[in-house]
Structures are given as C-alpha cells and as structure tokens.
Amino acid sequence: MREIHRVSCENPVNKMWNMFVYFESEPHVKQLFDQYYQDKYKADTARLSFQNTRKFIYYIKQGREYFHTASRSADLVKPLLLYYGMVSLLKAFILTADAHYPTHTKVLQHGMTCRKLKKLDYTFSDDEVKIQRDGLFPLVAAHLGSEQLVGEKFKMKNLLAMLPELRAAYEKTYEHVDLEPIHISKHVDYTYPYTTFYLPEHILDKCHLSYSSFIHFLNRYNHGQARFTTHDLEAPQGIIRLNWHHPEQIQVLENPTGFDNDLFIQDYKGNHYFYTKPDAAASFIPEILVHYMLMYTLGMICRYETELWGEMIFSLSSTEMFIIQEFLAINERKFPNMILNLLFQERFIFETK
C-alpha cells in the first residue's frame, strides 16, 4: 500500500462502490495493467493489457451486481450471492497479477472443501474448511504471500475470532475475545519520531510474557523496517505503554499498512486491534482469506443443506445466527473495500461526515 486516504462522505457504501467505476473505463484499466505487467511480461505488456481489459471490467461489474443484489435479498440466499460476488472481485484481482488466468480448468475450482453432509448436532462454529492444492483460494493465497495454507484446516470459530468488526458479537456469542483494541496517541512530536500506543496489562498474562519479552515477541513478526521498543515513562496501573518506530512514518495512523506486523489488524474505520493468542503469528491468515473461507462455508450450507440453513436462520433456539448475520453485514461492507485497496495499492477509509 502506497498511501492512505480518509474519504469523508454522506454514504460510505455508495462512495466505495462509486470508486469501482474507475475500473470500468478501458483507458484506466489498460493503464493499470501496463503498470502491473511491464516488469513481468515486458514486450507482451500491450497485447496482454488489451486482451484482459474487458474481462477485468466484466469481473468488476458482475461482482458489484452480486453484492448489490445481496444487499436487497433475504438471508435464505444472501451467502450464495455474497460468495459469488467475492469470487468475481477476486478474479479481477488475480488478473492484475497473472495475465494468463485462467491457465487451466483446475484453477476454476473453489480451492476449499468442507463436509457436505452435516451432523445432526451441527454447529457452525465447529465446522471446518480444508484448503486444497488447486483452485481460486490457493491462487489468491499465493499472490498474498500465504502459500503455506495449502493442506491446512481451519475452524469457523477461530476464523470469526480474527475479524475486528465482529469483536462485540463474538464476545456475546462465545463469552470471550481474542482481539484487544489499541489506544494510539495521535500526538506527533518530531523530537521523538515514533508513535506511542497502549494495551491493557493483562495481555502479558495471556501471552505468558514479561514486558521486555513481549517487545521481543512483537518484533519477531514485523514486516520491513518497523520495530517496537519500550517506553521510558511508567504507564498507569493496568496499562502498558509501547513505542512503534518506522524510518518513513512517525504516526502509525498515517501508515497505509498500519503496524506492519502480523499480530495487528485494522477494522474498516482504521481502528487497530491486537490478536492476543500467543500462537497467532503461526496461524496468521490475511483477512481477505478469512472472509473467503467463512463465506464459502456458509454458501455451501445455504446451497447443499437448505433445511439446515433454514433452521439456523429461522429457529428461535439458534445461538449462532446473531454472529452469522453480523458477519454477513460486515462482509458486505468490508470485502469490496479490501479489494479496492488491493487494486489501487492504496488504503481507503470511508467515513461519514
């Protein structure tokens, strides 16, 4: 991500989708492909850009129509519409990285699998998805630097825990949380070129680490040149104070990739959270793939286990429909935003006036 843009508007969702109109212009898309293809394909750049422009535009248009239709649909069919909208947008993203997509029929598969025949005592939180070697998911994962996910299994409850917008719903549903909100000082002092931020002290107990050991733990999962250090001043009781350093950014809130660290994540409003599981980095998954796995599983239930899906969303005894509905709403808002960020290579935060 090159830059961060905070866009003030009356309707963030409408403004977000209006930004996609940029990618429905052939000159703009050819310019985009020229930018992405010139190093990799050199002399073939012009031909490949021309060849893929309309395909890309129709992926974007189709994805938008799926999402718009989903926004007006009932929960009985919403997961399927959102899933295929996600697939269309992901194909557009893949085309910017692979000019020859699809190279063979195997890449047209989902790239994931889950148990089609559900148990009688089925609960969504205990369901699992397994990543396959071929298909769209491993292709996207590879382009996001997560090739190691092939062959792994992921439980829905653990995936839901990784989404910051679901933190409140997750706590109400499962009575615990794994994401801790971070308080970041907005004060900039050029004498001390770093960002100070605060976390509750009980995080040290969760991670079974001392304050100094916790700093070393964080630095193991940095990307690039960012690093953490201890703060000279003692923090108030129950709080720990830390510093974030970056050679090109003083304020982490102005950095398009945030903390540049696997253990930190942002919601679509730009708020930061820390993932408190000690093994978080070992199982780190890009957020866009977390959304993809969750929606794939819901789509499979919706499509192949229609009676079960009906019972889940209409039964008064269901304990999970609250968090599932929250996820559907968050996905509808955030997933296109994440794709927009990838296509522009810039982070957009849409805020109401």
Side-chain angles (χ1 to χ4, degrees):
M1 299 293 170
R2 296 186 297 262
E3 297 181 51
I4 185 168
H5 303 281
R6 295 184 180 274
V7 182
S8 181
C9 52
E10 296 289 348
N11 189 318
V13 174
N14 286 348
K15 183 63 176 178
M16 174 186 68
W17 281 112
N18 286 343
M19 292 289 293
F20 275 97
V21 176
Y22 178 89
F23 297 113
E24 296 181 16
S25 160
E26 289 191 10
H28 286 158
V29 176
K30 286 178 182 177
Q31 184 180 16
L32 178 78
F33 283 143
D34 287 344
Q35 172 190 333
Y36 280 109
Y37 290 171
Q38 60 184 350
D39 290 336
K40 188 174 182 179
Y41 299 106
K42 302 187 187 308
D44 279 344
T45 295
R47 180 181 64 83
L48 292 171
S49 295
F50 175 80
Q51 175 181 303
N52 287 330
T53 291
R54 291 201 172 184
K55 185 192 298 185
F56 176 92
I57 290 173
Y58 286 124
Y59 282 149
I60 295 293
K61 282 180 172 289
Q62 188 178 61
R64 185 178 61 199
E65 287 305 311
Y66 272 123
F67 271 89
H68 283 182
T69 303
S71 69
R72 303 187 299 269
S73 73
D75 290 339
L76 199 61
V77 295
K78 189 185 288 274
L80 272 179
L81 294 169
L82 289 175
Y83 176 73
Y84 284 108
M86 293 165 67
V87 167
S88 294
L89 294 181
L90 285 171
K91 286 180 178 179
F93 164 63
I94 286 297
L95 209 55
T96 65
D98 183 357
H100 301 295
Y101 175 82
T103 53
H104 50 81
T105 56
K106 285 186 178 180
V107 300
L108 299 176
Q109 299 171 1
H110 297 291
M112 296 170 281
T113 183
C114 63
R115 186 192 299 270
K116 283 194 173 69
L117 188 61
K118 307 301 182 185
K119 300 181 294 184
L120 291 176
D121 57 346
Y122 174 81
T123 57
F124 177 71
S125 61
D126 289 328
D127 206 347
E128 287 184 332
V129 61
K130 183 176 180 179
I131 309 307
Q132 296 178 313
R133 186 170 300 278
D134 297 306
L136 184 59
F137 184 97
L139 196 58
V140 175
H143 287 299
L144 294 176
S146 297
E147 301 92 335
Q148 75 281 3
L149 298 180
V150 172
E152 296 290 333
K153 290 183 179 181
F154 298 96
K155 187 171 286 191
M156 298 300 107
K157 185 177 179 180
N158 295 337
L159 294 175
L160 290 168
M162 297 177 185
L163 301 182
E165 293 86 359
L166 288 182
R167 185 179 183 275
Y170 192 93
E171 185 173 27
K172 290 183 183 300
T173 304
Y174 302 114
E175 300 183 347
H176 77 276
V177 288
D178 295 322
L179 286 170
E180 196 68 48
I182 299 166
H183 176 73
I184 299 173
S185 174
K186 296 181 180 179
H187 175 68
V188 176
D189 184 347
Y190 291 96
T191 309
Y192 303 98
Y194 52 75
T195 298
T196 299
F197 67 101
Y198 305 85
L199 285 167
E201 194 172 22
H202 66 74
I203 278 183
L204 301 180
D205 295 328
K206 277 193 172 184
C207 296
H208 308 291
L209 295 168
S210 66
Y211 177 54
S212 58
S213 297
F214 183 66
I215 298 291
H216 291 298
F217 172 70
L218 293 181
N219 283 321
R220 285 164 52 191
Y221 304 113
N222 287 330
H223 296 292
Q225 303 175 74
R227 63 188 179 90
F228 298 88
T229 62
T230 57
H231 198 284
D232 295 334
L233 297 178
E234 186 177 347
Q237 187 175 1
I239 295 173
I240 57 173
R241 182 188 275 126
L242 307 93
N243 297 329
W244 178 83
H245 298 257
H246 193 288
E248 298 174 2
Q249 289 283 359
I250 295 176
Q251 175 53 259
V252 70
L253 294 173
E254 297 175 2
N255 190 35
T257 51
F259 282 95
D260 287 333
N261 185 289
D262 285 346
L263 302 178
F264 294 82
I265 194 168
Q266 297 183 61
D267 63 19
Y268 63 77
K269 294 181 180 180
N271 301 311
H272 293 255
Y273 297 79
F274 175 72
Y275 193 37
T276 60
K277 283 192 173 182
D279 61 344
S283 59
F284 173 75
I285 311 162
E287 187 180 3
I288 204 164
L289 299 181
V290 175
H291 276 256
Y292 192 21
M293 285 188 277
L294 285 164
M295 195 63 73
Y296 165 77
T297 306
L298 288 173
M300 292 295 281
I301 301 170
C302 177
R303 182 176 181 179
Y304 293 108
E305 297 283 351
T306 309
E307 183 179 357
L308 172 61
W309 178 240
E311 289 296 318
M312 288 173 63
I313 62 175
F314 295 122
S315 172
L316 298 179
S317 61
S318 173
T319 60
E320 296 182 309
M321 198 54 212
F322 171 58
I323 196 168
I324 289 174
Q325 286 180 326
E326 286 288 294
F327 168 68
L328 294 175
I330 293 302
N331 176 271
E332 198 174 325
R333 167 64 182 85
K334 191 174 187 180
F335 190 87
N337 204 155
M338 291 190 287
I339 293 293
L340 191 71
N341 294 345
L342 285 174
L343 294 179
F344 275 110
Q345 284 295 290
E346 298 172 357
R347 182 171 174 79
F348 290 89
I349 298 174
F350 298 95
E351 303 171 321
T352 52
K353 291 181 180 178

